Amino acid sequence: MAGDRPEGGEVPLLYSEGNVAARVALEREVRGWSTTELAERVTRAGVKMNQTAVWRIENGTPRRRINLDEALAFARVFELPFEELMSPPLEGLDIDSRRLVQEAVEAFYEARDARDRLHHAVVAIADHIKAHPDSSRAIHEQCLRLMGDERDARTLTGDIEDGGHY
């Protein structure tokens, strides 16, 4: 519909290279990476890129075009869904807020992965004790020895007795 177009006749794009370029700059800054470091990470992700290319994507006039392989590599390097990389940065979220949120998100995933690892280890120990009931006491003593804190060791051995962490 003609009435949906802004003055000048151009239809604004929801996703655009401009959004990707802005997100590349923002995500790089949030992580404290230089343009050289980002280029090295993109190259390690499988798409050859140098520092000048990153700078031209972020600052060039005209801005350097981004091909699909590069956009996918940026999404992979930043650990963002592709659609998120193409979306414009959120307004009202300054660089410090972005860094804090990024740190919280990374900590969340690290904690989740650690809980999963703990659960699998506890299940494996519980299965081992079922197969070797005589080892139960020694396993509990080893937990206390390695942990050094009796309350923490009791929590872990309780999880083992229950057959899982969650």
Side-chain angles (χ1 to χ4, degrees):
M1 290 189 218
D4 292 341
R5 293 178 183 228
E7 290 183 33
E10 292 182 29
V11 176
L13 298 176
L14 178 59
Y15 301 124
S16 72
E17 284 185 340
N19 288 341
V20 175
R23 288 303 296 270
V24 165
L26 180 63
E27 297 299 334
R28 180 185 60 74
E29 289 172 13
V30 164
R31 290 161 178 78
W33 299 344
S34 66
T35 52
T36 300
E37 184 172 358
L38 176 55
E40 290 169 356
R41 288 173 183 264
V42 169
T43 298
R44 283 194 303 267
V47 178
K48 188 172 169 63
M49 184 169 287
N50 61 38
Q51 178 274 335
T52 303
V54 173
W55 187 91
R56 289 182 54 225
I57 288 168
E58 293 180 7
N59 305 295
T61 305
R63 198 180 300 265
R64 181 186 174 280
R65 305 266 340 221
I66 302 165
N67 68 40
L68 182 58
D69 289 339
E70 292 168 342
L72 290 168
F74 283 129
R76 187 176 310 130
V77 165
F78 293 133
E79 297 178 341
L80 291 174
F82 189 64
E83 285 188 359
E84 178 68 15
L85 179 70
M86 293 187 302
S87 301
L90 293 173
E91 291 186 27
L93 200 58
D94 65 13
I95 196 82
D96 290 331
S97 299
R98 298 261 329 172
R99 281 190 181 117
L100 292 170
V101 170
Q102 181 70 29
E103 184 178 335
V105 167
E106 289 171 4
F108 173 86
Y109 286 123
E110 288 168 6
R112 184 195 65 191
D113 292 347
R115 281 190 307 270
D116 289 347
R117 263 188 29 244
L118 175 59
H119 175 73
H120 292 297
V122 165
V123 167
I125 294 170
D127 289 347
H128 180 82
I129 290 173
K130 284 179 191 168
H132 307 91
D134 294 345
S135 67
S136 178
R137 181 179 171 144
I139 286 173
H140 293 288
E141 287 178 16
Q142 183 67 3
C143 287
L144 179 58
R145 230 184 248 170
L146 291 174
M147 296 180 86
D149 183 287
E150 190 170 335
R151 188 171 68 188
D152 289 345
R154 268 186 297 190
T155 300
L156 179 58
T157 57
D159 287 347
I160 292 167
E161 290 168 5
D162 292 341
H165 176 63
Y166 19 77

